[in-house]
Amino acid sequence: MRKANRLGCMTLPAIIATVFTLLVLAGSVFATGSAFFSPGDLSGRTGSPLGNVRSHAQIALNCEQCHAALWDTDTMQDRCVRCHTNIGAELADPHKLHGILLGTDTVLECRKCHPEHRGVGASLTDVTLHDFPHELLGFATTSHKILPDGSPFICQNCHVTDYKSFKISDCAACHSKIDATFMTAHTQKYGADCLACHDGKESINKKFDHSKTGFILVDIHSTLDCASCHSKARTLADFKNSAAKCSDCHLKDNPHGDKFGTTCDACHTQKSWKDAHFDHAVTGFKLVGKHENLACAGCHTVPDQYKNTPTTCVGCHQKDDKHAGTEGSACETCHTSDGWKPSTFNHFNVFKLDGKHATVLCQNCHTTPFQFKNAPSDCVGCHQKDDAHKGGLGTDCSTCHNTTAWKPASFDHNLAGFKLTGAHVNVQCTLCHINGKFKGTPMTCVGCHTPNDVHKGAEGTACESCHTTTAWKPSTFNHFNVFKLDGKHATLLCQNCHTTPNQYKNAPTTCFGCHQKDDAHSGGLGTSCSTCHNTTAWKPASFDHNQAAFKLTGAHVTVQCVLCHINGKFKGTPMTCVGCHTANDVHKGAEGTACESCHATAAWKPSTFNHFNVFKLDGKHATLLCQ
């Protein structure tokens, strides 16, 4: 079997065929020129002259003059503008047609609107309605898609001659064919400049939502023709700036002149200009009670004068004031709008009427007719004659007396500077307040209890240190505040320490003050007995040698005290090794007095010595005997 040929297009016959084909193509190009690639003739339609040339067909254009190669940096648009310099100027101006189109989000391509190679008679401008951004020119084609007969809308319907041609009167002419009556009336009211208000986005006869303007049309306004309010509007801006206040349209209907300002809607509604209603509450003077049904002329006595009418009671009711102004001008304190009489007065706001006061007649306190303001409002103002203390306890009668009855009086001693506790609660007032006098009564224990002081002042005047209000005897004293009683001290009789009767202040508070006679050391160890002795018992004494300058360690812990402290002497006892161990020194002083260099408190023997501190023992030296 023959092997399959795997070279494919790389076989010798295929390569020969490819080279032959390329040669044929090259010969055809050489023979026919650029016509070999030409898609058709250039347009011969004349336009604005560019260097004495009015169409592409008048000049022999090479392909590369318009079509850029893939490796070129410029585009076809760049080459178009290179010849059409006037278009280049428009592109730089955002207010010109091509400058406006350049501002779109899409890439601007000249050939999109200006196609070529469609024949000598073809137009170089071909814009279709559906893909042209017409709204950028100020008028959208949203509502211009289909004609009334159902046929599609085309550019020529508005731009009759060419895309540049347009007359504003064409709008009215076209729309008159749809509704001539409406257009005639519409142009008479708002003029023939349709583009001043219409932007092409709205639909014919589409109802306008007036509520979105901020001025809602209701009642009579909802039935009015637009021109009734917008009579002089000729542009969209005119409509937006139309009057929105009542007074702008209804000033001619205003019979009040300038008396009430321009807020007509305070009284008038859109239902009717007449039958106005006024909410008196907005003036700051709300009509209630009798005022509510009062005729306007009752207060507003001058016709059509409302602004300066008084808003206070006294402004209208001064003639009704029987107090002749003595009670001030706040009539509403007693009188209400429900009726001038009878008057009401809340006595609680001035002086609370309770107890016997609640049944007292007004004239009992207000002795002068219709005079209320200056009547006394404190107890003493009326009850000075009833004061048995003749002012000795001040003028605040309510401290002891109440409105239920002047007698009997009650006094809460806890409100005074001296509170009654213990046995004081049941003591008769006269025992402390001699001859009915209250001010200046002593408030200290010693002020009343000097006769009970068995100490004759020797313990000072702070009786409360030992005595309480529960009873003078037995007295209580917290000894912990002066000297803590514990151990044997807790069971001692007071006279054991306080040898002089009723004398406590100067009793000693140190151990030595009482136990000097028990000091076997005769003061040799000082006066701080508590270092060794405690309150449980004087003997046996205990001493923590670790609190001393010489701490006991090793064999010293079990040594009897008398071996170091000879004859019971403690002060001056030696604290160095050589001071006690001279008899044990086999060196006879030859090695100095620093016994601790070799000896320790664990035992005198065997001694220890770190030879490394003097001479390092290593090698054979380490095994040598000392000698």
Side-chain angles (χ1 to χ4, degrees):
M1 293 179 64
R2 292 180 59 190
K3 271 189 174 183
N5 188 354
R6 299 181 179 277
L7 293 178
C9 64
M10 297 303 293
T11 59
L12 181 60
I15 294 172
I16 294 172
T18 301
V19 172
F20 178 76
T21 302
L22 293 174
L23 290 174
V24 172
L25 290 174
S28 299
V29 171
F30 180 77
T32 61
S34 59
F36 181 82
F37 296 103
S38 177
D41 294 328
L42 297 175
S43 173
R45 296 279 292 269
T46 59
S48 301
L50 296 172
N52 297 322
V53 177
R54 296 184 64 84
S55 73
H56 288 164
Q58 284 186 302
I59 54 176
L61 291 175
N62 294 325
C63 300
E64 61 269 14
Q65 287 182 265
C66 295
H67 298 280
L70 294 175
W71 51 83
D72 286 335
T73 57
D74 56 356
T75 63
M76 181 181 287
Q77 282 70 251
D78 297 328
R79 299 189 176 194
C80 292
V81 174
R82 195 173 296 152
C83 289
H84 300 278
T85 54
N86 61 326
I87 302 302
E90 274 198 26
L91 288 170
D93 189 346
H95 302 293
K96 295 292 181 66
L97 174 62
H98 288 87
I100 293 170
L101 296 176
L102 185 64
T104 61
D105 293 333
T106 58
V107 178
L108 182 65
E109 294 185 6
C110 304
R111 61 184 177 181
K112 188 174 182 180
C113 298
H114 305 289
E116 248 300 5
H117 302 297
R118 297 191 305 170
V120 178
S123 172
L124 274 178
T125 300
D126 185 7
V127 181
T128 56
L129 185 63
H130 71 275
D131 61 355
F132 184 73
H134 211 287
E135 62 274 5
L136 295 177
L137 304 179
F139 189 86
T141 57
T142 307
S143 58
H144 290 75
K145 298 295 185 185
I146 301 174
L147 291 171
D149 61 2
S151 60
F153 206 95
I154 59 175
C155 303
Q156 286 77 9
N157 290 125
C158 293
H159 306 285
V160 180
T161 306
D162 55 33
Y163 74 95
K164 289 184 179 181
S165 65
F166 173 74
K167 296 194 299 294
I168 194 67
S169 58
D170 290 342
C171 294
C174 185
H175 284 277
S176 291
K177 297 175 183 178
I178 301 170
D179 191 340
T181 303
F182 169 79
M183 282 306 301
T184 301
H186 196 66
T187 53
Q188 286 177 352
K189 292 176 182 177
Y190 305 113
D193 186 6
C194 305
L195 296 182
C197 297
H198 299 279
D199 56 5
K201 293 180 182 179
E202 74 277 13
S203 301
I204 298 175
N205 294 328
K206 184 179 179 181
K207 186 170 178 60
F208 179 68
D209 186 359
H210 212 284
S211 61
K212 293 181 179 179
T213 66
F215 190 91
I216 302 174
L217 300 180
V218 295
D219 298 325
I220 290 180
H221 282 160
S222 63
T223 62
L224 290 177
D225 181 74
C226 303
S228 299
C229 297
H230 306 288
S231 57
K232 297 180 179 179
R234 291 294 179 271
T235 66
L236 192 59
D238 291 341
F239 279 93
K240 286 182 177 180
N241 297 325
S242 295
K245 294 190 297 185
C246 305
S247 58
D248 293 328
C249 289
H250 294 283
L251 193 59
K252 62 183 182 302
D253 306 312
N254 180 18
H256 314 296
D258 59 352
K259 295 172 185 176
F260 295 107
T262 58
T263 54
C264 311
D265 52 349
C267 302
H268 301 274
T269 67
Q270 294 188 42
K271 289 184 178 180
S272 171
W273 183 255
K274 293 185 178 181
D275 300 327
H277 173 74
F278 180 66
D279 183 5
H280 215 282
V282 300
T283 66
F285 189 88
K286 190 175 181 180
L287 298 181
V288 294
K290 293 283 186 181
H291 291 158
E292 192 172 4
N293 299 318
L294 194 64
C296 302
C299 295
H300 306 287
T301 53
V302 180
D304 293 327
Q305 287 289 339
Y306 298 92
K307 250 183 174 178
N308 299 318
T309 302
T311 57
T312 60
C313 302
V314 73
C316 286
H317 293 283
Q318 192 170 11
K319 62 184 182 301
D320 305 310
D321 181 16
K322 292 186 177 181
H323 313 294
T326 57
E327 301 301 315
S329 57
C331 310
E332 64 275 7
T333 306
C334 303
H335 302 275
T336 68
S337 57
D338 291 328
W340 186 256
K341 292 181 178 181
S343 63
T344 61
F345 177 69
N346 190 349
H347 219 286
F348 275 63
N349 295 334
V350 180
F351 184 86
K352 184 179 179 181
L353 296 180
D354 56 1
K356 287 287 186 181
H357 288 160
T359 58
V360 169
L361 296 175
C362 302
Q363 53 266 34
N364 285 20
C365 296
H366 305 286
T367 54
T368 305
F370 303 114
Q371 291 289 327
F372 300 96
K373 208 170 189 182
N374 299 318
S377 58
D378 54 353
C379 302
V380 74
C382 286
H383 293 282
Q384 191 172 11
K385 62 184 183 299
D386 304 311
D387 182 16
H389 315 294
K390 309 300 181 185
L393 295 184
T395 59
D396 190 6
C397 311
S398 60
T399 305
C400 303
H401 301 274
N402 58 67
T403 58
T404 304
W406 184 257
K407 290 183 179 181
S410 63
F411 178 69
D412 185 0
H413 220 286
N414 287 330
L415 298 177
F418 187 86
K419 293 178 174 57
L420 298 182
T421 59
H424 288 162
V425 174
N426 299 317
V427 170
Q428 291 184 11
C429 304
T430 54
L431 292 182
C432 294
H433 303 288
I434 311 300
N435 298 325
K437 290 185 177 180
F438 295 87
K439 277 195 171 179
T441 301
M443 293 191 291
T444 61
C445 301
V446 73
C448 286
H449 293 283
T450 301
N452 307 115
D453 182 15
V454 296
H455 314 295
K456 308 300 180 184
E459 300 302 316
T461 59
C463 310
E464 63 274 9
S465 299
C466 303
H467 302 274
T468 68
T469 59
T470 304
W472 185 257
K473 289 183 179 181
S475 63
T476 61
F477 178 68
N478 189 349
H479 218 287
F480 275 63
N481 295 333
V482 179
F483 183 83
K484 185 179 179 181
L485 295 180
D486 57 0
K488 287 288 185 180
H489 288 160
T491 59
L492 287 177
L493 296 174
C494 301
Q495 54 265 34
N496 285 30
C497 295
H498 305 286
T499 54
T500 305
N502 301 321
Q503 290 291 328
Y504 299 93
K505 209 170 189 182
N506 299 317
T509 57
T510 63
C511 303
F512 195 75
C514 285
H515 294 282
Q516 188 174 5
K517 64 183 183 296
D518 304 311
D519 182 17
H521 315 294
S522 302
L525 294 184
T527 60
S528 182
C529 311
S530 59
T531 304
C532 302
H533 302 274
N534 57 67
T535 59
T536 304
W538 185 256
K539 289 183 179 181
S542 64
F543 179 70
D544 185 1
H545 219 288
N546 287 329
Q547 301 297 329
F550 188 85
K551 293 177 174 58
L552 299 181
T553 60
H556 287 162
V557 174
T558 58
V559 169
Q560 291 183 12
C561 303
V562 294
L563 292 182
C564 293
H565 303 287
I566 310 299
N567 299 324
K569 290 185 178 180
F570 295 87
K571 276 194 173 180
T573 301
M575 293 191 290
T576 61
C577 302
V578 74
C580 286
H581 294 282
T582 303
N584 306 112
D585 182 14
V586 296
H587 311 295
K588 306 301 180 184
E591 298 301 320
T593 59
C595 309
E596 63 273 10
S597 300
C598 301
H599 302 275
T601 59
W604 185 258
K605 290 184 179 182
S607 62
T608 61
F609 178 68
N610 190 348
H611 215 288
F612 273 63
N613 295 335
V614 180
F615 183 83
K616 184 178 181 182
L617 296 179
D618 56 359
K620 285 290 185 178
H621 288 160
T623 59
L624 288 177
L625 297 174
C626 299
Q627 57 269 31

